[in-house]
Amino acid sequence: MTFQAFCGKWLVLFGMIVARYFAIAGGAYWLFYRVLGKARGPSARSIREDIGMSIASGLIFALGAVGILAGYDSGITLIYSDFNRYGAWYPAISFLAVLVLQDTYFYFLHRLFHHPALFRWIHSGHHRSGDPTPWTSFAFDIPEALVQTLFFLGIVAIVPLHAVTLFAALFTMTVWAVYNHLGFEVFPPESGDRPSGQWLIGSAHHAIHHRRYTVHYGLYFTFWDRICGTEVKETGWLRSQESVVGCQEEE
């Protein structure tokens, strides 16, 4: 791939990633905050800062996407296009495998990012506001965006994935990140803010993390929080709010 072709693809993919961010995060903010009035939004300055960081992260994500395309063209990835290559059930199984692996990767690195030696330069931007909104979903410091990108660069080299499976995993990540950063409970308190019981992370669950930094590090599942003792037992939003009020944010 020539440098000119690289730059062209980078800009196109950057535009697609930013458009996806504004469509999903912006659409969720407009619906839940403006139309339904489910929560009070932060200041315009806070939103602008989140958007600016997300756009900068988009540049990094686009670099990763170009890297995946270049790897596919050169044959060093395991991305394939024939649905029958590994059997009819493999795309679904590999999709779930990617989510589990990404959740594991995210949990332990996320927890590491909260170490005092790393927090200020790799993760503090994402915690600028204690009350997240959909705009916060991809507001990462540049080093963190790079680390997030490395997961997908690595996964396509070690796990055979259909192109549709890879796209589905990326789309799921985007939607889930926006949902996790709604900042309020979507489901009734008795649901634990998780429609599938206690094993999926939801908006109230993750909002606690933005208030109390030492708990709730997962991305999709509560598994590692449970195993490692970093889950707050309260599940309802009102009880969760009571559990974090007055807690000192730790860096």
Side-chain angles (χ1 to χ4, degrees), residues 131-176:
D131 296 309
T133 72
W135 298 114
T136 316
S137 55
F138 286 96
F140 299 128
D141 293 290
I142 295 299
E144 182 171 9
L146 284 167
V147 173
Q148 301 293 354
T149 301
L150 287 176
F151 172 80
F152 283 99
L153 286 171
I155 204 70
V156 297
I158 61 177
V159 178
L161 294 175
H162 192 279
V164 172
T165 303
L166 177 60
F167 175 82
L170 290 167
F171 182 78
T172 299
M173 176 189 68
T174 302
V175 172
W176 209 284

Side-chain angles (χ1 to χ4, degrees), residues 109-129:
L109 282 175
H110 188 191
R111 191 168 178 178
L112 179 64
F113 293 164
H114 277 270
H115 189 281
L118 299 176
F119 181 83
R120 291 189 181 278
W121 69 274
I122 201 170
H123 192 55
S124 60
H126 188 70
H127 281 276
R128 182 182 292 109
S129 172

Side-chain angles (χ1 to χ4, degrees), residues 14-78:
F14 169 68
M16 293 172 64
I17 289 169
V18 170
R20 181 187 64 183
Y21 167 73
F22 276 98
I24 299 177
Y29 184 84
W30 174 80
L31 175 63
F32 289 108
Y33 282 71
R34 298 302 187 188
V35 176
L36 300 179
K38 291 290 187 178
R40 185 175 64 181
S43 66
R45 177 181 177 182
S46 179
I47 292 175
R48 286 196 301 269
E49 289 174 343
D50 279 347
I51 292 174
M53 290 187 67
S54 298
I55 291 174
S57 295
L59 290 168
I60 303 302
F61 298 152
L63 278 176
V66 175
I68 291 174
L69 289 177
Y72 176 77
D73 290 341
S74 62
I76 63 175
T77 73
L78 299 180

